[in-house]
Amino acid sequence: MSEPVRLPLFPLNAVLFPLGRMGLRIFEVRYLDMIARCMKADAPFGICLIAEGEEVGTPAIPHKIGTEARIVDWDMSEPGILGLTVRGGRRFRVLEQVEEEPGTITGIVQWFDEPPAEAVSEDHAALLPLLKVVIADAGEKVIARPWALDDADWVGYRYAEILPIPKIARQRLLELEDADLRLAIIHEYLVEHGLLKD
C-alpha cells in the first residue's frame, strides 16, 4: 500500500464505488467549508459509510474503508444548499482519524494498491447480458461512462451500486480485494432472487 496521506472524510449513509457517480446535497456549514476548500485546491475528499452515528450533528464514526470522491459538477440552485456530483476514485483504508474544527474529520489514509484489470471469468459471464440491459434501459442516469464490461472489478462495482441490498452489504463488497469473489457473491444473489438462471 502507498504512503499515508491526509484526506478530509465525509461519513455518509451511502457507499461510493470506484468509477461510480453520486449526487450529494450539502447544507451543513462544516461540510460546505470542507467542500469549498477541496474545490479551491482541486482536491478530493473521502466518502465512508457511517458505522456509528448520524449524517448530521456530532461527527459520525466511519467504516475504515472508503472511496476517494472527486467533484465533477456542482450547483447552488437552492439557497443554502450545494448540489454536488462526485465520481469515485481510489479505495483507501483509514489508519487514523483526527477531528478537525468545526466538527469535520480528517483521515490518515493509505490508498489500496489496485491490481491490474482482469476480465470477467467464464463462470460469471452470465452477468454481462443483464448489465447490458440495465445500461441500455437507463444509460448514464444509472451507470456512468466510461463503461468497462471487460473489467471484472468494474462489473462487480456496478452491480453493487444498483442491487437492492443493505448498505452494509455494499460496504462488504467494496472491501473485497478479489474481483472474482465479488462477482461470485453477486452471481449467487441474482440466482437466488430469480434474476438469473444458474
PDB file of all heavy atoms in Angstrom, residues 143-166:
ATOM      1  N   ILE A 143     -25.697   4.290 -14.635  1.00  0.00           N
ATOM      2  CA  ILE A 143     -24.307   3.813 -14.692  1.00  0.00           C
ATOM      3  C   ILE A 143     -23.481   4.776 -15.538  1.00  0.00           C
ATOM      4  O   ILE A 143     -23.698   4.915 -16.745  1.00  0.00           O
ATOM      5  CB  ILE A 143     -24.242   2.381 -15.264  1.00  0.00           C
ATOM      6  CG1 ILE A 143     -25.023   1.434 -14.340  1.00  0.00           C
ATOM      7  CG2 ILE A 143     -22.796   1.927 -15.411  1.00  0.00           C
ATOM      8  CD1 ILE A 143     -25.064  -0.002 -14.802  1.00  0.00           C
ATOM      9  N   ALA A 144     -22.538   5.427 -14.870  1.00  0.00           N
ATOM     10  CA  ALA A 144     -21.746   6.466 -15.531  1.00  0.00           C
ATOM     11  C   ALA A 144     -20.754   5.873 -16.524  1.00  0.00           C
ATOM     12  O   ALA A 144     -20.217   4.791 -16.325  1.00  0.00           O
ATOM     13  CB  ALA A 144     -20.998   7.280 -14.484  1.00  0.00           C
ATOM     14  N   ARG A 145     -20.532   6.614 -17.620  1.00  0.00           N
ATOM     15  CA  ARG A 145     -19.456   6.261 -18.550  1.00  0.00           C
ATOM     16  C   ARG A 145     -18.121   6.623 -17.894  1.00  0.00           C
ATOM     17  O   ARG A 145     -18.077   7.467 -17.007  1.00  0.00           O
ATOM     18  CB  ARG A 145     -19.623   7.044 -19.861  1.00  0.00           C
ATOM     19  CG  ARG A 145     -20.767   6.563 -20.725  1.00  0.00           C
ATOM     20  CD  ARG A 145     -20.813   7.389 -22.003  1.00  0.00           C
ATOM     21  NE  ARG A 145     -21.916   7.038 -22.848  1.00  0.00           N
ATOM     22  CZ  ARG A 145     -21.873   6.094 -23.796  1.00  0.00           C
ATOM     23  NH1 ARG A 145     -20.765   5.415 -23.993  1.00  0.00           N
ATOM     24  NH2 ARG A 145     -22.932   5.830 -24.528  1.00  0.00           N
ATOM     25  N   PRO A 146     -17.029   6.037 -18.366  1.00  0.00           N
ATOM     26  CA  PRO A 146     -16.933   5.034 -19.436  1.00  0.00           C
ATOM     27  C   PRO A 146     -17.338   3.652 -18.929  1.00  0.00           C
ATOM     28  O   PRO A 146     -17.079   3.308 -17.775  1.00  0.00           O
ATOM     29  CB  PRO A 146     -15.448   5.069 -19.815  1.00  0.00           C
ATOM     30  CG  PRO A 146     -14.760   5.486 -18.555  1.00  0.00           C
ATOM     31  CD  PRO A 146     -15.697   6.434 -17.860  1.00  0.00           C
ATOM     32  N   TRP A 147     -18.009   2.909 -19.786  1.00  0.00           N
ATOM     33  CA  TRP A 147     -18.433   1.554 -19.441  1.00  0.00           C
ATOM     34  C   TRP A 147     -17.288   0.594 -19.737  1.00  0.00           C
ATOM     35  O   TRP A 147     -16.624   0.699 -20.773  1.00  0.00           O
ATOM     36  CB  TRP A 147     -19.683   1.182 -20.238  1.00  0.00           C
ATOM     37  CG  TRP A 147     -20.835   2.109 -19.928  1.00  0.00           C
ATOM     38  CD1 TRP A 147     -21.131   2.664 -18.715  1.00  0.00           C
ATOM     39  CD2 TRP A 147     -21.834   2.592 -20.830  1.00  0.00           C
ATOM     40  NE1 TRP A 147     -22.242   3.467 -18.794  1.00  0.00           N
ATOM     41  CE2 TRP A 147     -22.702   3.440 -20.093  1.00  0.00           C
ATOM     42  CE3 TRP A 147     -22.083   2.390 -22.181  1.00  0.00           C
ATOM     43  CZ2 TRP A 147     -23.791   4.074 -20.661  1.00  0.00           C
ATOM     44  CZ3 TRP A 147     -23.171   3.035 -22.749  1.00  0.00           C
ATOM     45  CH2 TRP A 147     -24.017   3.867 -21.997  1.00  0.00           C
ATOM     46  N   ALA A 148     -17.067  -0.352 -18.835  1.00  0.00           N
ATOM     47  CA  ALA A 148     -15.931  -1.278 -18.965  1.00  0.00           C
ATOM     48  C   ALA A 148     -16.398  -2.697 -18.677  1.00  0.00           C
ATOM     49  O   ALA A 148     -16.041  -3.298 -17.658  1.00  0.00           O
ATOM     50  CB  ALA A 148     -14.804  -0.868 -18.024  1.00  0.00           C
ATOM     51  N   LEU A 149     -17.201  -3.222 -19.577  1.00  0.00           N
ATOM     52  CA  LEU A 149     -17.772  -4.553 -19.377  1.00  0.00           C
ATOM     53  C   LEU A 149     -16.734  -5.675 -19.452  1.00  0.00           C
ATOM     54  O   LEU A 149     -17.048  -6.820 -19.142  1.00  0.00           O
ATOM     55  CB  LEU A 149     -18.888  -4.794 -20.406  1.00  0.00           C
ATOM     56  CG  LEU A 149     -20.134  -3.933 -20.155  1.00  0.00           C
ATOM     57  CD1 LEU A 149     -20.922  -3.732 -21.428  1.00  0.00           C
ATOM     58  CD2 LEU A 149     -21.002  -4.561 -19.081  1.00  0.00           C
ATOM     59  N   ASP A 150     -15.517  -5.331 -19.838  1.00  0.00           N
ATOM     60  CA  ASP A 150     -14.445  -6.318 -19.885  1.00  0.00           C
ATOM     61  C   ASP A 150     -13.588  -6.296 -18.614  1.00  0.00           C
ATOM     62  O   ASP A 150     -12.567  -6.971 -18.537  1.00  0.00           O
ATOM     63  CB  ASP A 150     -13.545  -6.083 -21.102  1.00  0.00           C
ATOM     64  CG  ASP A 150     -12.978  -4.663 -21.140  1.00  0.00           C
ATOM     65  OD1 ASP A 150     -13.478  -3.805 -20.369  1.00  0.00           O
ATOM     66  OD2 ASP A 150     -12.060  -4.420 -21.929  1.00  0.00           O
ATOM     67  N   ASP A 151     -14.017  -5.550 -17.594  1.00  0.00           N
ATOM     68  CA  ASP A 151     -13.260  -5.406 -16.351  1.00  0.00           C
ATOM     69  C   ASP A 151     -14.089  -5.973 -15.190  1.00  0.00           C
ATOM     70  O   ASP A 151     -15.149  -5.454 -14.864  1.00  0.00           O
ATOM     71  CB  ASP A 151     -12.951  -3.919 -16.132  1.00  0.00           C
ATOM     72  CG  ASP A 151     -12.131  -3.648 -14.884  1.00  0.00           C
ATOM     73  OD1 ASP A 151     -12.158  -4.459 -13.945  1.00  0.00           O
ATOM     74  OD2 ASP A 151     -11.465  -2.602 -14.842  1.00  0.00           O
ATOM     75  N   ALA A 152     -13.585  -7.027 -14.562  1.00  0.00           N
ATOM     76  CA  ALA A 152     -14.327  -7.710 -13.500  1.00  0.00           C
ATOM     77  C   ALA A 152     -14.610  -6.793 -12.310  1.00  0.00           C
ATOM     78  O   ALA A 152     -15.700  -6.848 -11.724  1.00  0.00           O
ATOM     79  CB  ALA A 152     -13.560  -8.954 -13.044  1.00  0.00           C
ATOM     80  N   ASP A 153     -13.651  -5.953 -11.924  1.00  0.00           N
ATOM     81  CA  ASP A 153     -13.887  -5.018 -10.822  1.00  0.00           C
ATOM     82  C   ASP A 153     -15.010  -4.049 -11.183  1.00  0.00           C
ATOM     83  O   ASP A 153     -15.925  -3.814 -10.383  1.00  0.00           O
ATOM     84  CB  ASP A 153     -12.614  -4.221 -10.503  1.00  0.00           C
ATOM     85  CG  ASP A 153     -11.801  -4.836  -9.366  1.00  0.00           C
ATOM     86  OD1 ASP A 153     -12.408  -5.410  -8.444  1.00  0.00           O
ATOM     87  OD2 ASP A 153     -10.569  -4.739  -9.412  1.00  0.00           O
ATOM     88  N   TRP A 154     -14.943  -3.475 -12.389  1.00  0.00           N
ATOM     89  CA  TRP A 154     -15.948  -2.505 -12.812  1.00  0.00           C
ATOM     90  C   TRP A 154     -17.339  -3.132 -12.806  1.00  0.00           C
ATOM     91  O   TRP A 154     -18.302  -2.540 -12.309  1.00  0.00           O
ATOM     92  CB  TRP A 154     -15.615  -1.973 -14.210  1.00  0.00           C
ATOM     93  CG  TRP A 154     -16.502  -0.855 -14.663  1.00  0.00           C
ATOM     94  CD1 TRP A 154     -16.325   0.475 -14.451  1.00  0.00           C
ATOM     95  CD2 TRP A 154     -17.731  -0.978 -15.406  1.00  0.00           C
ATOM     96  NE1 TRP A 154     -17.356   1.200 -15.011  1.00  0.00           N
ATOM     97  CE2 TRP A 154     -18.233   0.326 -15.604  1.00  0.00           C
ATOM     98  CE3 TRP A 154     -18.447  -2.053 -15.919  1.00  0.00           C
ATOM     99  CZ2 TRP A 154     -19.423   0.582 -16.287  1.00  0.00           C
ATOM    100  CZ3 TRP A 154     -19.637  -1.805 -16.598  1.00  0.00           C
ATOM    101  CH2 TRP A 154     -20.110  -0.494 -16.771  1.00  0.00           C
ATOM    102  N   VAL A 155     -17.465  -4.340 -13.343  1.00  0.00           N
ATOM    103  CA  VAL A 155     -18.768  -5.025 -13.395  1.00  0.00           C
ATOM    104  C   VAL A 155     -19.284  -5.278 -11.982  1.00  0.00           C
ATOM    105  O   VAL A 155     -20.459  -5.027 -11.667  1.00  0.00           O
ATOM    106  CB  VAL A 155     -18.666  -6.345 -14.191  1.00  0.00           C
ATOM    107  CG1 VAL A 155     -19.943  -7.176 -14.050  1.00  0.00           C
ATOM    108  CG2 VAL A 155     -18.386  -6.048 -15.670  1.00  0.00           C
ATOM    109  N   GLY A 156     -18.411  -5.741 -11.095  1.00  0.00           N
ATOM    110  CA  GLY A 156     -18.821  -6.006  -9.722  1.00  0.00           C
ATOM    111  C   GLY A 156     -19.263  -4.748  -8.995  1.00  0.00           C
ATOM    112  O   GLY A 156     -20.278  -4.751  -8.278  1.00  0.00           O
ATOM    113  N   TYR A 157     -18.527  -3.675  -9.174  1.00  0.00           N
ATOM    114  CA  TYR A 157     -18.892  -2.421  -8.518  1.00  0.00           C
ATOM    115  C   TYR A 157     -20.228  -1.882  -9.026  1.00  0.00           C
ATOM    116  O   TYR A 157     -21.033  -1.355  -8.266  1.00  0.00           O
ATOM    117  CB  TYR A 157     -17.808  -1.359  -8.743  1.00  0.00           C
ATOM    118  CG  TYR A 157     -16.520  -1.607  -7.994  1.00  0.00           C
ATOM    119  CD1 TYR A 157     -15.298  -1.242  -8.560  1.00  0.00           C
ATOM    120  CD2 TYR A 157     -16.505  -2.183  -6.722  1.00  0.00           C
ATOM    121  CE1 TYR A 157     -14.102  -1.447  -7.873  1.00  0.00           C
ATOM    122  CE2 TYR A 157     -15.318  -2.389  -6.040  1.00  0.00           C
ATOM    123  CZ  TYR A 157     -14.113  -2.027  -6.625  1.00  0.00           C
ATOM    124  OH  TYR A 157     -12.936  -2.225  -5.950  1.00  0.00           O
ATOM    125  N   ARG A 158     -20.476  -2.012 -10.329  1.00  0.00           N
ATOM    126  CA  ARG A 158     -21.733  -1.500 -10.867  1.00  0.00           C
ATOM    127  C   ARG A 158     -22.920  -2.299 -10.324  1.00  0.00           C
ATOM    128  O   ARG A 158     -23.957  -1.724  -9.987  1.00  0.00           O
ATOM    129  CB  ARG A 158     -21.726  -1.537 -12.402  1.00  0.00           C
ATOM    130  CG  ARG A 158     -20.622  -0.730 -13.082  1.00  0.00           C
ATOM    131  CD  ARG A 158     -20.618   0.760 -12.826  1.00  0.00           C
ATOM    132  NE  ARG A 158     -20.242   1.241 -11.534  1.00  0.00           N
ATOM    133  CZ  ARG A 158     -18.981   1.401 -11.094  1.00  0.00           C
ATOM    134  NH1 ARG A 158     -17.955   1.096 -11.865  1.00  0.00           N
ATOM    135  NH2 ARG A 158     -18.748   1.882  -9.896  1.00  0.00           N
ATOM    136  N   TYR A 159     -22.786  -3.611 -10.247  1.00  0.00           N
ATOM    137  CA  TYR A 159     -23.856  -4.405  -9.647  1.00  0.00           C
ATOM    138  C   TYR A 159     -24.059  -4.023  -8.182  1.00  0.00           C
ATOM    139  O   TYR A 159     -25.187  -3.911  -7.698  1.00  0.00           O
ATOM    140  CB  TYR A 159     -23.560  -5.905  -9.765  1.00  0.00           C
ATOM    141  CG  TYR A 159     -24.153  -6.549 -10.994  1.00  0.00           C
ATOM    142  CD1 TYR A 159     -23.340  -6.978 -12.033  1.00  0.00           C
ATOM    143  CD2 TYR A 159     -25.522  -6.738 -11.118  1.00  0.00           C
ATOM    144  CE1 TYR A 159     -23.881  -7.580 -13.173  1.00  0.00           C
ATOM    145  CE2 TYR A 159     -26.072  -7.339 -12.248  1.00  0.00           C
ATOM    146  CZ  TYR A 159     -25.250  -7.761 -13.263  1.00  0.00           C
ATOM    147  OH  TYR A 159     -25.800  -8.349 -14.381  1.00  0.00           O
ATOM    148  N   ALA A 160     -22.949  -3.838  -7.468  1.00  0.00           N
ATOM    149  CA  ALA A 160     -23.045  -3.487  -6.050  1.00  0.00           C
ATOM    150  C   ALA A 160     -23.780  -2.165  -5.851  1.00  0.00           C
ATOM    151  O   ALA A 160     -24.463  -1.961  -4.847  1.00  0.00           O
ATOM    152  CB  ALA A 160     -21.645  -3.418  -5.439  1.00  0.00           C
ATOM    153  N   GLU A 161     -23.683  -1.256  -6.824  1.00  0.00           N
ATOM    154  CA  GLU A 161     -24.386   0.027  -6.756  1.00  0.00           C
ATOM    155  C   GLU A 161     -25.888  -0.124  -6.961  1.00  0.00           C
ATOM    156  O   GLU A 161     -26.680   0.556  -6.313  1.00  0.00           O
ATOM    157  CB  GLU A 161     -23.880   0.970  -7.858  1.00  0.00           C
ATOM    158  CG  GLU A 161     -22.517   1.548  -7.633  1.00  0.00           C
ATOM    159  CD  GLU A 161     -22.015   2.318  -8.843  1.00  0.00           C
ATOM    160  OE1 GLU A 161     -22.515   2.121  -9.962  1.00  0.00           O
ATOM    161  OE2 GLU A 161     -21.099   3.121  -8.657  1.00  0.00           O
ATOM    162  N   ILE A 162     -26.282  -0.990  -7.886  1.00  0.00           N
ATOM    163  CA  ILE A 162     -27.685  -0.997  -8.324  1.00  0.00           C
ATOM    164  C   ILE A 162     -28.553  -2.067  -7.659  1.00  0.00           C
ATOM    165  O   ILE A 162     -29.780  -1.951  -7.693  1.00  0.00           O
ATOM    166  CB  ILE A 162     -27.789  -1.131  -9.861  1.00  0.00           C
ATOM    167  CG1 ILE A 162     -27.208  -2.470 -10.349  1.00  0.00           C
ATOM    168  CG2 ILE A 162     -27.116   0.057 -10.543  1.00  0.00           C
ATOM    169  CD1 ILE A 162     -27.353  -2.704 -11.845  1.00  0.00           C
ATOM    170  N   LEU A 163     -27.946  -3.085  -7.070  1.00  0.00           N
ATOM    171  CA  LEU A 163     -28.762  -4.134  -6.458  1.00  0.00           C
ATOM    172  C   LEU A 163     -29.452  -3.614  -5.198  1.00  0.00           C
ATOM    173  O   LEU A 163     -28.883  -2.803  -4.456  1.00  0.00           O
ATOM    174  CB  LEU A 163     -27.897  -5.344  -6.096  1.00  0.00           C
ATOM    175  CG  LEU A 163     -27.392  -6.197  -7.258  1.00  0.00           C
ATOM    176  CD1 LEU A 163     -26.487  -7.306  -6.745  1.00  0.00           C
ATOM    177  CD2 LEU A 163     -28.548  -6.783  -8.065  1.00  0.00           C
ATOM    178  N   PRO A 164     -30.683  -4.073  -4.930  1.00  0.00           N
ATOM    179  CA  PRO A 164     -31.411  -3.635  -3.726  1.00  0.00           C
ATOM    180  C   PRO A 164     -30.931  -4.401  -2.494  1.00  0.00           C
ATOM    181  O   PRO A 164     -31.603  -5.290  -1.968  1.00  0.00           O
ATOM    182  CB  PRO A 164     -32.870  -3.972  -4.074  1.00  0.00           C
ATOM    183  CG  PRO A 164     -32.770  -5.158  -4.983  1.00  0.00           C
ATOM    184  CD  PRO A 164     -31.498  -4.960  -5.790  1.00  0.00           C
ATOM    185  N   ILE A 165     -29.746  -4.065  -2.032  1.00  0.00           N
ATOM    186  CA  ILE A 165     -29.142  -4.761  -0.894  1.00  0.00           C
ATOM    187  C   ILE A 165     -28.866  -3.754   0.223  1.00  0.00           C
ATOM    188  O   ILE A 165     -28.782  -2.552  -0.022  1.00  0.00           O
ATOM    189  CB  ILE A 165     -27.830  -5.478  -1.304  1.00  0.00           C
ATOM    190  CG1 ILE A 165     -26.832  -4.491  -1.926  1.00  0.00           C
ATOM    191  CG2 ILE A 165     -28.125  -6.623  -2.255  1.00  0.00           C
ATOM    192  CD1 ILE A 165     -25.489  -5.094  -2.305  1.00  0.00           C
ATOM    193  N   PRO A 166     -28.729  -4.235   1.469  1.00  0.00           N
ATOM    194  CA  PRO A 166     -28.444  -3.317   2.587  1.00  0.00           C
ATOM    195  C   PRO A 166     -27.115  -2.593   2.390  1.00  0.00           C
ATOM    196  O   PRO A 166     -26.205  -3.106   1.727  1.00  0.00           O
ATOM    197  CB  PRO A 166     -28.385  -4.256   3.806  1.00  0.00           C
ATOM    198  CG  PRO A 166     -29.110  -5.494   3.392  1.00  0.00           C
ATOM    199  CD  PRO A 166     -28.885  -5.630   1.920  1.00  0.00           C
TER     200      PRO A 166
END
